[in-house]
Amino acid sequence: RTARRDARRGHPACATSYVCRPPHHTTMAPVRYRSTRGDVEGASFEEVVLGGLAPDRGLYVPDSIPTFTAAEVEAMRNYTFPQIAFRIMSKYIPTEEVPAADLEDIINRSCTAFRDPGVTPVVKTGDCWTMELFHGPTFAFKDVALQFLGNLFEYFIDKKEGDAKRLTIMGATSGDTGSAAIYGLRGKKNVHCFILYPKGRVSLIQEQQMSTVPDSNIHCLRVEGTFDDAQDIVKAAFMDTEFRNKVRLGAVNSINWARVLAQMTYYFYSYYRVTDQAKGVKKVSFSVPTGNFGDILAGFYAKKMGLPVGKLVVGTNENDILHRFFSSGEYAKEQIATSISPSMDICVSSNFERYLFHLFGDDPKKLRALMEAFEGSGDPVTNSVGVGKSRSLKVTPQLLKKAREDFLSERSNTEETLALIKEYNEVHGYLYCPHSAIGVVAVNKLGLNNESMVVLATAHAGKFYDAVKRVVDPLPPLPPALAAVQSLPMRKTDVPNSLKACQNIVLQRIGLQKQPPSVLYIVVPLLVLALGAASFYSF
């Protein structure tokens, strides 16, 4: 199977080169950033990276989307993955903030963490293509962004002095973000990383990947609740200005713009690899299994930059808020259903606000009114873009039609996902994880399984063998790096679904609040007193 897979890969001859700067690099006018909700304009790239969530609860977006001409897109065809990343990122990161040589170094170090020389290779799987995003340290697509983000954090913090030379990261995870963030930040100087994840709602191997990392700057907090509960705690921590400033809080979740930026690269890279081999293909479509909408949003930005992209297909599991939106125009929050694709068990897609901002004509007032109504922090509202109320917003038919010009969507249930895994393993000798399989189910339902379609394989199947083994027997051996974590000791702290409890742990671990006395230090003295009293009264 490995030999068959390698034979299908399309690496350019220069794929192993990590010399980043391409010829004829030109300096662009610097991009600045603003919040989707309007209170912040003109923010620097560093402020956006270190801040994560904007102070007005909005998400940072560039004030304009830089573009490539068709000739410039074609000129990058034979670039390596790091060279493509450099060309894209140079349009969003001013050289006065990160000089070209420093950006090259950050990208190079980030890419060397991957086991495949192409970073995100593309293989033929039946009639369509699969982009393998699981060749990083944690075998999940989020490594691409979080290796870069970890190095970027360290770069910016290293330039600071005094109390500013410190960063505290808080992130919520449904499985893969946590381990990717941990592996991107482990051992980083002056950075503490706190990852919150829902108890019993991630796979065992995902939990082991997170909690077996021994570095002292890594802290795993297992929350009693769902992923959305954990994410709400993180968002509330960012909204607590005193706490945020005191600990110097930063974000690794897909709300951080740098993650979306890093993920744009593999859309360009896979376009070149597909069109190298499928000569008749002029536009490439992508099917993306998604929960938080960050991965597919990077494809949307790549298209807006000038990459010849056809359709962007949103694949969801039973937690189908995105599919319901692209079907009806209504974005409505419902209860989370537990599935075999836990990283997609999300009822509110945190990155979707960025897309709505652009769909609404980059109008922060209209977006803010609907989002605050949806969140319950504002009054119900009707305006020219739609209707908003608690837990629901609905866009106009005209805007839904516009959204469908770029996006299609489909939903896959457990039975359909397992059937797809079984079929592709038996017929094509290719094993998908339960998330990646959803992307294939979606294109099959839409009738788009052809040589112009790329499915994003977001994780290695070995991370979800509990589900895969229901239809595949025997299972292939786990990759050695995945198998190794099963025998390592785990370090995690159980916490209630409470903002205050999590904030206290953060303050204690970074040395800004005293640790509460150990239970032993309380109980043992009490026992001594009790025994002494008993001895006294026995005389």
Side-chain angles (χ1 to χ4, degrees):
R1 182 175 295 155
T2 300
R4 288 168 63 184
R5 181 193 67 191
D6 290 344
R8 292 184 293 231
R9 283 188 180 155
H11 298 320
C14 59
T16 55
S17 170
Y18 285 106
V19 178
C20 269
R21 189 177 299 173
H24 313 304
H25 171 63
T26 56
T27 302
M28 306 296 294
V31 168
R32 305 294 286 183
Y33 295 86
R34 57 178 168 169
S35 167
T36 52
R37 302 199 185 185
D39 284 357
V40 180
E41 294 183 353
S44 69
F45 180 71
E46 180 179 347
E47 290 170 334
V48 167
V49 170
L50 296 182
L53 191 68
D56 60 1
R57 290 185 65 87
L59 304 183
Y60 288 111
V61 291
D63 56 12
S64 62
I65 300 175
T67 59
F68 291 110
T69 65
E72 288 174 325
V73 171
E74 185 57 32
M76 292 189 286
R77 176 168 295 278
N78 292 318
Y79 286 1
T80 64
F81 190 97
Q83 286 176 329
I84 296 170
F86 180 79
R87 283 287 280 131
I88 295 169
M89 292 179 186
S90 293
K91 288 183 172 286
Y92 292 93
I93 306 174
T95 54
E96 56 266 30
E97 292 193 66
V98 185
D102 292 349
L103 181 58
E104 288 176 355
D105 177 63
I106 291 169
I107 293 170
N108 282 341
R109 287 189 288 111
S110 302
C111 288
T112 55
F114 289 79
R115 293 177 297 279
D116 191 282
V119 183
T120 61
V122 179
V123 304
K124 194 73 187 298
T125 46
D127 293 330
C128 67
W129 304 83
T130 295
M131 178 171 24
E132 296 182 339
L133 300 175
F134 49 72
H135 292 279
T138 70
F139 296 82
F141 81 95
K142 296 174 183 182
D143 286 323
V144 176
L146 286 162
Q147 285 295 309
F148 173 69
L149 184 56
N151 288 323
L152 204 56
F153 280 146
E154 189 174 46
Y155 176 81
F156 284 134
I157 294 301
D158 193 53
K159 296 192 300 180
K160 297 186 179 298
E161 297 180 353
D163 288 342
K165 203 178 182 70
R166 169 171 51 83
L167 183 66
T168 302
I169 297 299
M170 280 186 75
T173 184
S174 53
D176 287 333
T177 292
S179 56
I182 285 167
Y183 278 73
L185 294 169
R186 61 183 302 182
K188 297 296 184 187
K189 295 181 295 183
N190 304 309
V191 178
H192 275 272
C193 176
F194 293 83
I195 296 298
L196 285 66
Y197 67 95
K199 184 177 181 179
R201 291 176 179 264
V202 301
S203 75
L204 177 59
I205 206 159
Q206 286 177 314
E207 185 173 28
Q208 289 168 331
Q209 278 189 308
M210 290 187 283
S211 61
T212 57
V213 173
D215 299 70
S216 60
N217 71 320
I218 300 300
H219 314 274
C220 295
L221 308 183
R222 188 167 65 172
V223 179
E224 289 284 353
T226 67
F227 164 74
D228 287 270
D229 293 328
Q231 186 162 252
D232 286 344
I233 289 172
V234 172
K235 287 182 178 179
F238 273 89
M239 290 301 102
D240 185 337
T241 305
E242 181 181 356
F243 175 79
R244 178 177 178 166
N245 294 338
K246 186 175 184 178
V247 304
R248 303 194 64 83
L249 200 58
V252 290
N253 283 76
S254 55
I255 59 172
N256 195 305
W257 166 253
R259 280 188 52 175
V260 179
L261 174 59
Q263 290 168 333
M264 294 181 205
T265 303
Y266 50 68
Y267 285 91
F268 280 80
Y269 183 81
S270 61
Y271 165 80
Y272 298 126
R273 302 294 74 80
V274 168
T275 54
D276 280 345
Q277 299 178 72
K279 300 298 184 182
V281 172
K282 302 302 180 186
K283 287 186 176 183
V284 175
S285 296
F286 296 89
S287 181
V288 187
T290 189
N292 257 334
F293 203 74
D295 201 5
I296 199 166
L297 182 67
F300 172 77
Y301 281 117
K303 183 176 183 177
K304 294 302 179 186
M305 290 186 74
L307 187 68
V309 173
K311 290 294 185 181
L312 294 164
V313 177
V314 175
T316 74
N317 63 13
E318 292 90 339
N319 298 289
D320 59 353
I321 185 172
L322 293 170
H323 175 52
R324 286 183 279 115
F325 173 82
F326 288 108
S327 299
S328 69
E330 183 176 14
Y331 185 72
K333 182 177 180 179
E334 294 182 353
Q335 288 295 111
I336 290 180
T338 302
S339 78
I340 60 170
S341 46
S343 298
M344 295 164 61
D345 289 350
I346 294 167
C347 66
V348 175
S349 302
S350 61
N351 248 296
F352 198 57
E353 181 169 332
R354 283 190 170 108
Y355 174 66
L356 289 176
F357 176 78
H358 296 306
L359 184 64
F360 295 167
D362 294 3
D363 189 324
K365 290 183 179 179
K366 293 175 182 176
L367 181 282
R368 184 172 192 158
L370 262 65
M371 287 306 302
E372 289 184 349
F374 174 82
E375 293 167 346
S377 60
D379 295 328
V381 63
T382 300
N383 58 29
S384 62
V385 296
V387 178
K389 60 183 180 180
S390 180
R391 301 170 64 91
S392 172
L393 66 83
K394 188 167 186 175
V395 301
T396 64
Q398 294 80 7
L399 287 179
L400 176 59
K401 181 180 178 181
K402 182 179 178 182
R404 288 174 176 168
E405 292 173 3
D406 292 314
F407 293 94
L408 298 174
S409 69
E410 262 300 346
R411 176 187 189 273
S412 177
N413 62 32
T414 296
E415 291 71 24
E416 292 168 326
T417 303
L418 289 173
L420 189 286
I421 292 171
K422 179 179 173 66
E423 175 192 348
Y424 269 70
N425 181 65
E426 293 177 352
V427 177
H428 303 292
Y430 196 88
L431 189 57
Y432 285 110
C433 86
H435 306 78
S436 310
I438 289 170
V440 188
V441 173
V443 298
N444 286 346
K445 286 186 171 184
L446 292 167
L448 296 175
N449 196 331
N450 56 55
E451 68 173 0
S452 66
M453 176 62 69
V454 176
V455 174
L456 275 62
T458 53
H460 191 283
K463 298 187 75 169
F464 303 97
Y465 270 178
D466 281 348
V468 173
K469 69 183 180 184
R470 292 161 64 174
V471 290
V472 175
D473 183 27
L475 292 169
L478 283 174
L482 269 183
V485 301
Q486 295 179 309
S487 59
L488 297 176
M490 298 170 67
R491 293 189 310 124
K492 59 184 181 296
T493 302
D494 285 317
V495 295
N497 181 11
S498 161
L499 169 64
K500 192 64 178 176
C502 292
Q503 287 179 319
N504 286 340
I505 289 174
V506 170
L507 291 168
Q508 292 159 15
R509 299 279 178 90
I510 67 175
L512 296 182
Q513 181 174 298
K514 287 185 177 181
Q515 294 270 8
S518 166
V519 172
L520 285 176
Y521 286 111
I522 297 172
V523 172
V524 171
L526 288 174
L527 285 173
V528 170
L529 286 173
L531 289 171
S535 299
F536 175 81
Y537 285 111
S538 65
F539 284 95

